[in-house]
Amino acid sequence: MHIPSPRHDRLCHERSANETGLSSAIEERVHSGARRGDKGTSPRRRSSNDNGSRVDSQQRRRSNDSCADDTQVNSCALYFVRNQIWISCGILLCLGVANIFFPPLRPLLQRFHTLSYYNPSTQRYGKGIDDGYLVLLWIVAFTFLRASALEYVFIPLAKRAGISTPKGLARFAEQAWVLVYYSFFWTLGTYLIYHSPFWMNVEELWTEWPVRELGGPFKWYYLVQFAFWLQQIFVLNIEERRKDHNQMLAHHIITCSLMAASYAYHMTRIGTVILCLMDFVDILLPVAKLLKYMGYHTICDYAFGIFLIAWVITRHLLYNRIVYSAWKDSVRFIAFGCYSQNSSEPQQLPSGSDFYAIKHTFSYSNDVVCFTKTIQMSFIATLVALQLITLVWLYMIMHVAWRVVQGTGADDTRSDGEDELEEIELGEEVYSQITTNNIMQKPVDFGYLNRTMTTQPDLELPITNGNFHERISTTQFRTT
């Protein structure tokens, strides 16, 4: 869930206090009128205004209750974000300790850290529901690895590179993590494709379908990538929202849907190729951003130019070649029908074949998998939806490219324009809270995180920096 800004909590608190006082005054006036009627005077007839006041009072109470619920949810979310390293580490340690000291649980716990459905006769791995255990483990593992790397590796590196602002430290750490992740998995994915029959041969993506068993490295790569993208949805909703938040969320959901469907329908070949095409530019973009954060603006512009060329080639030209192959080549090599493990020839489609195919394929209830026109077009429609999102991003990238041509440099249109506004808003927010509580009358210096303030009392303030939603004490700052 998204952590709201400090201003949201303060407004809820002020609205609650003001509206509670107002509703109390209205109720007091109503009760006093009733008491005057008991003393012999005729009771005042209830007007429509009184009814309206009561309705308004009830609405305000419900609004205050909603603010209270939001505050509780935000507190839980903030606690998890601040302690995600220790929570995820604790889960991983509990699984390891239980596997060592509780032998009866080992058959279950081993599913979390080993590949399931091994076939000794083929020395390959099948697919099934138990693969979800490994995915869950790696979601927790990525949460631990990412948070630990950002806090203990990349933020210290950013400080050594001369970056001092909270926003700059957070952005540098995020991009460094992305660079490390995609560099590793793009290299691994390319290695697997290079040693596969579909290297530089698009038609081989559809031969021998359905490919029910995978090699160990291939299966591990696909499941761990799936876990990463599921974890990215969590990351997207705990970090500051940027201009393209909705596009990013839609992209992650479509990617996860495609990976789950391609895995269940034994189309991991095309899934792996698309992942490698997408991952390549995700290596180049962080490089350009890191150069920008470190002050190498000229080199950053050249790196951005390389990124732009690679984006167009991989995410539009080559990607659309894959989409075209899914439309034309798939039906050339795969006949519509249902396929069982004991027969390579398609069987006749049953009535309600689309529902039958989806139900039995995703539940792994039997070894029958069906390929129909509806299923084919559903895959293509999802691939096209992903392409539309990348076209929106291409439009934003071209804006950046135009600024480079004009000589203003490559800035991230998704975030950097927002950063200035957020820094100003953050400063006003903290200054307002401090002066309201009569703690100090001078603005806080936000130049560095590690400053000390010796004369002012301690005050915890909610600070939102990129992926970090921390409560930083004002004793970490000093006044100007």
Side-chain angles (χ1 to χ4, degrees):
M1 59 193 70
H2 176 65
I3 309 297
S5 65
R7 182 169 297 178
H8 176 271
D9 293 337
R10 192 189 70 196
L11 290 177
C12 278
H13 176 73
E14 291 177 354
R15 184 172 66 181
S16 176
N18 294 336
E19 293 177 351
T20 301
L22 181 61
S23 62
S24 300
I26 293 174
E27 291 178 357
E28 177 64 26
R29 187 168 62 181
V30 172
H31 289 316
S32 64
R35 287 195 296 270
R36 286 196 299 271
D38 292 341
K39 291 181 180 180
T41 60
S42 59
R44 182 168 57 90
R45 181 177 296 174
R46 181 178 296 172
S47 65
S48 61
N49 291 336
D50 293 335
N51 293 332
S53 298
R54 286 186 176 274
V55 172
D56 291 342
S57 177
Q58 294 174 355
Q59 291 177 347
R60 292 189 185 98
R61 287 177 179 175
R62 287 195 294 267
S63 178
N64 293 335
D65 292 339
S66 176
C67 279
D69 294 338
D70 289 343
T71 302
Q72 293 176 356
V73 173
N74 297 339
S75 298
C76 294
L78 181 62
Y79 175 83
F80 179 81
V81 170
R82 295 176 62 187
N83 297 277
Q84 56 183 311
I85 294 177
W86 309 114
I87 293 175
S88 55
C89 180
I91 294 174
L92 296 174
L93 286 176
C94 287
L95 290 174
V97 171
N99 187 62
I100 295 173
F101 294 101
F102 297 94
L105 296 178
R106 286 178 185 172
L108 173 63
L109 297 177
Q110 285 180 353
R111 301 174 188 173
F112 285 98
H113 57 84
T114 59
L115 296 174
S116 302
Y117 306 106
Y118 179 68
N119 186 351
S121 61
T122 61
Q123 297 184 347
R124 297 169 72 87
Y125 294 86
K127 305 168 188 175
I129 295 295
D130 288 349
D131 293 331
Y133 290 99
L134 185 70
V135 173
L136 291 175
L137 176 80
W138 275 99
I139 291 175
V140 178
F142 277 129
T143 301
F144 170 75
L145 291 173
R146 182 180 184 275
S148 301
L150 264 60
E151 183 170 349
Y152 298 113
V153 179
F154 298 129
I155 287 183
L157 286 177
K159 292 180 179 178
R160 290 177 65 89
I163 300 173
S164 57
T165 63
K167 191 71 65 176
L169 292 172
R171 291 285 186 259
F172 182 96
E174 293 169 14
Q175 297 306 315
W177 162 257
V178 169
L179 175 61
V180 170
Y181 173 83
Y182 285 116
S183 297
F184 176 81
F185 276 92
W186 177 81
T187 303
L188 176 58
T190 304
Y191 173 84
L192 294 173
I193 295 175
Y194 180 76
H195 291 86
S196 70
F198 51 92
W199 170 256
M200 304 297 290
N201 190 344
V202 179
E203 294 181 350
E204 284 293 328
L205 295 173
W206 313 104
T207 60
E208 302 177 358
W209 188 88
V211 182
R212 301 175 184 273
E213 295 184 336
L214 304 173
F218 207 116
K219 180 175 181 176
W220 183 89
Y221 166 84
Y222 213 82
L223 291 178
V224 174
Q225 280 269 53
F226 183 47
F228 173 80
W229 283 106
L230 289 174
Q231 198 261 348
Q232 281 293 99
I233 297 178
F234 163 75
V235 170
L236 187 66
N237 286 280
I238 66 171
E239 69 177 4
E240 254 179 304
R241 292 202 175 188
R242 304 178 185 178
K243 294 178 183 178
D244 66 341
H245 173 84
N246 292 333
Q247 294 98 310
M248 290 287 288
L249 181 60
H251 172 270
H252 294 353
I253 292 175
I254 292 174
T255 300
C256 292
S257 301
L258 278 171
M259 293 193 70
S262 61
Y263 188 80
Y265 273 93
H266 312 295
M267 294 183 178
T268 49
R269 291 181 175 182
I270 186 173
T272 303
V273 172
I274 291 177
L275 284 172
C276 287
L277 291 178
M278 295 291 182
D279 290 352
F280 181 69
V281 293
D282 286 328
I283 298 173
L284 301 177
L285 181 59
V287 170
K289 287 188 175 183
L290 291 174
L291 290 171
K292 172 180 173 290
Y293 298 149
M294 291 187 292
Y296 300 103
H297 297 287
T298 302
I299 304 177
C300 168
D301 292 343
Y302 286 108
F304 177 79
I306 297 173
F307 156 76
L308 175 58
I309 296 172
W311 177 286
V312 174
I313 294 175
T314 58
R315 295 206 172 189
H316 296 290
L317 298 180
L318 297 179
Y319 179 87
N320 286 319
R321 176 65 181 92
I322 299 298
V323 176
Y324 179 82
S325 178
W327 177 38
K328 287 294 185 180
D329 296 336
S330 62
V331 293
R332 287 174 51 207
F333 293 93
I334 306 175
F336 292 134
C338 293
Y339 296 77
S340 66
Q341 194 165 3
N342 298 325
S343 175
S344 59
E345 296 298 325
Q347 303 173 6
Q348 185 178 2
L349 290 170
S351 58
S353 56
D354 293 329
F355 175 78
Y356 175 87
I358 294 173
K359 174 184 176 182
H360 290 280
T361 300
F362 283 96
S363 64
Y364 296 96
S365 56
N366 57 36
D367 65 345
V368 176
V369 57
C370 300
F371 186 71
T372 67
K373 186 65 175 179
T374 302
I375 293 173
Q376 180 206 17
M377 298 309 297
S378 298
F379 272 111
I380 294 175
T382 311
L383 292 173
V384 171
L386 194 59
Q387 177 65 193
L388 293 177
I389 295 175
T390 57
L391 286 173
V392 173
W393 283 332
L394 179 63
Y395 174 78
M396 300 171 67
I397 292 169
M398 296 307 295
H399 271 274
V400 180
W402 178 246
R403 290 205 299 268
V404 173
V405 172
Q406 290 180 319
T408 57
D411 291 326
D412 187 359
T413 59
R414 298 185 312 141
S415 59
D416 292 341
E418 293 176 310
D419 289 349
E420 295 176 3
L421 298 176
E422 289 164 355
E423 294 280 13
I424 295 171
E425 189 173 303
L426 176 63
E428 292 176 350
E429 180 69 27
V430 175
Y431 178 75
S432 175
Q433 291 194 27
I434 293 175
T435 54
T436 301
N437 290 277
N438 297 321
I439 294 178
M440 53 181 283
Q441 298 299 325
K442 294 182 179 181
V444 175
D445 180 4
F446 287 93
Y448 300 93
L449 281 175
N450 297 320
R451 295 187 173 183
T452 57
M453 182 172 65
T454 57
T455 57
Q456 284 76 16
D458 180 65
L459 172 68
E460 256 196 358
L461 303 173
I463 307 294
T464 305
N465 293 322
N467 287 2
F468 305 98
H469 303 269
E470 301 288 345
R471 291 189 174 271
I472 302 177
S473 171
T474 55
T475 55
Q476 294 178 269
F477 303 92
R478 73 179 180 193
T479 59
T480 56

